[in-house]
């Protein structure tokens, strides 16, 4: 992927600064023309704990091959961002963009890290110049520790996950809150997404927010499948991931655009 040094290619840009995970915010009234770049793509990851059992439907590294094409993560993130920006500042002009080709989670992390060193892909820099954007909102997949919320407000999980997908684990004995059934194992849809707001004139990342969200689901039946992948239907899996992206984007924008005190 070709990258462009912003200090040279966009004369108004300087060096970008790394921002802590905790959110900083910007006054939405200062925004005029914002380019929202959702680079999420449609891939779905799957992550097992180290002691993954045999006889399951999903391999440890099978996430890229899961059949969820057309799930629409970018469209969800772009629409939610656009709505939040216009609620915060009805006069703001927005441009909504996706990557010209799908980027792997590792490529997205590299792009996010590159932004902190004043590097962005050439196609993004060309868009900045062509559309005269004064701010960018860059949305990328990240990697982090899994912490899945249960119905009784516990947080469980072992190890790290990446991007958007499902964490599966057979260590825990779970109770389904709807049916009361006890089962071994869980499936947890998760989202690990970074939102970086960049000011083009200064080149600074003026706000950043990381979404790290996951919810644990148990089997509905006490004598059901021993494979946690089967605890949810495909329709439920798709709906859960879409909801995580939509709610995560809304929460991120609420934090990024909080009024200055």
């Amino acid at each position: 992927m070709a990258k462009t040094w912003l200090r040279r290619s966009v004369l108004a840009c300087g060096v970008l600064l790394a921002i802590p995970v905790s959110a900083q915010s910007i006054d939405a009234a200062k925004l005029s023309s914002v380019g929202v770049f959702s680079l999420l793509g449609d891939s779905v990851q799957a992550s097992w704990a180290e002691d993954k059992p045999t006889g399951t439907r999903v391999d440890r590294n099978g996430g890229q091959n899961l059949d969820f094409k057309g799930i629409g993560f970018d469209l969800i993130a772009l629409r939610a961002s656009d709505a939040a920006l216009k609620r915060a500042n009805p006069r703001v002009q927005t441009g909504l963009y996706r990557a010209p080709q799908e980027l792997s989670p590792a490529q997205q992390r590299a792009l996010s890290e590159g932004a902190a060193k004043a590097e962005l892909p050439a196609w993004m820099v060309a868009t900045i110049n062509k559309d005269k954007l004064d701010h960018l909102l860059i949305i990328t997949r990240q990697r982090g520790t899994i912490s899945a919320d249960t119905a009784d407000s516990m947080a469980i999980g072992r190890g790290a996950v990446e991007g958007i997908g499902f964490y599966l684990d057979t260590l825990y004995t779970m109770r389904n809150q709807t049916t009361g059934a006890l089962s071994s194992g869980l499936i947890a849809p998760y989202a690990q997404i970074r939102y970086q707001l960049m000011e083009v004139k200064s080149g600074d990342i003026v706000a950043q927010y990381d979404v790290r969200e996951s919810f644990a689901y148990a089997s509905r039946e006490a004598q059901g499948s021993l494979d946690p992948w089967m605890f949810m239907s495909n329709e439920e899996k798709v709906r859960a991931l879409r909801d995580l992206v939509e709610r995560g984007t809304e929460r991120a924008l609420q934090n990024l655009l909080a009024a200055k005190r």
Side-chain angles (χ1 to χ4, degrees):
M1 181 191 307
K3 291 190 176 181
T4 301
W5 185 251
L6 290 184
R7 185 182 291 277
R8 296 176 182 172
S9 298
V10 183
L11 297 181
C13 287
V15 178
L16 301 186
L17 303 177
I19 304 296
V21 168
S22 57
Q24 292 178 268
S25 60
I26 184 173
D27 185 351
K30 296 180 179 180
L31 303 176
S32 176
S33 177
V34 181
V36 183
F37 291 84
S38 177
L39 310 180
L40 299 177
D42 273 348
S43 68
V44 175
Q45 278 67 56
S47 177
W48 279 93
E50 287 300 318
D51 51 353
K52 171 186 177 294
T54 59
T56 62
R57 293 287 186 93
V58 181
D59 293 333
R60 174 182 300 280
N61 298 314
Q64 296 289 353
N65 298 319
L66 298 182
D67 188 18
F68 289 117
K69 293 301 181 184
I71 197 168
F73 293 138
D74 285 323
L75 183 59
I76 293 167
L78 290 171
R79 284 178 172 173
S81 298
D82 183 53
L85 285 162
K86 289 176 178 173
R87 281 196 302 269
N89 179 358
R91 296 186 301 276
V92 71
Q93 299 295 312
T94 57
L96 309 179
Y97 311 96
R98 294 183 288 187
Q101 60 187 31
E102 183 151 347
L103 306 179
S104 69
Q107 289 173 320
Q108 293 182 46
R109 290 200 314 275
L111 190 151
S112 175
E113 293 164 2
K117 299 182 291 185
E119 295 179 353
L120 287 177
W123 67 269
M124 289 183 69
V125 176
T127 302
I128 294 169
N129 293 332
K130 180 174 85 64
D131 293 346
K132 297 180 172 57
L133 303 172
D134 60 62
H135 286 82
L136 310 180
L137 177 62
I138 303 172
I139 306 174
T140 52
R141 299 180 185 227
Q142 295 295 311
R143 182 175 177 82
T145 302
I146 182 66
S147 181
D149 292 334
T150 65
D152 52 1
S153 301
M154 291 181 61
I156 58 179
R158 300 178 291 162
V161 295
E162 184 172 50
I164 304 168
F166 299 93
Y167 168 77
L168 303 106
D169 199 327
T170 56
L171 173 69
Y172 302 95
T173 298
M174 304 288 292
R175 181 185 298 276
N176 187 292
Q177 293 296 305
T178 301
T179 66
L182 289 173
S183 60
S184 296
L186 65 93
I187 180 172
Y190 68 82
Q192 302 261 352
I193 306 174
R194 174 163 294 172
Y195 300 78
Q196 295 170 298
L197 187 60
M198 169 188 156
E199 182 187 54
V200 172
K201 183 176 181 180
S202 67
D204 292 339
I205 294 178
V206 294
Q208 178 171 301
Y209 189 86
D210 283 3
V211 165
R212 296 176 180 174
E213 190 167 346
S214 182
F215 297 95
Y217 290 81
S219 174
R220 293 185 180 88
E221 302 175 12
Q223 302 301 321
S225 172
L226 298 179
D227 181 359
W229 182 249
M230 305 304 294
F231 291 177
M232 302 174 71
S233 69
N234 280 350
E235 291 77 11
E236 290 172 321
K237 293 183 182 86
V238 169
R239 184 166 60 250
L241 294 185
R242 286 175 170 168
D243 286 348
L244 283 175
V245 173
E246 183 172 16
R247 291 199 306 268
T249 301
E250 290 171 351
R251 186 170 70 255
L253 269 292
Q254 287 173 1
N255 282 274
L256 293 176
L257 302 177
K260 293 284 189 179
R261 287 183 172 87

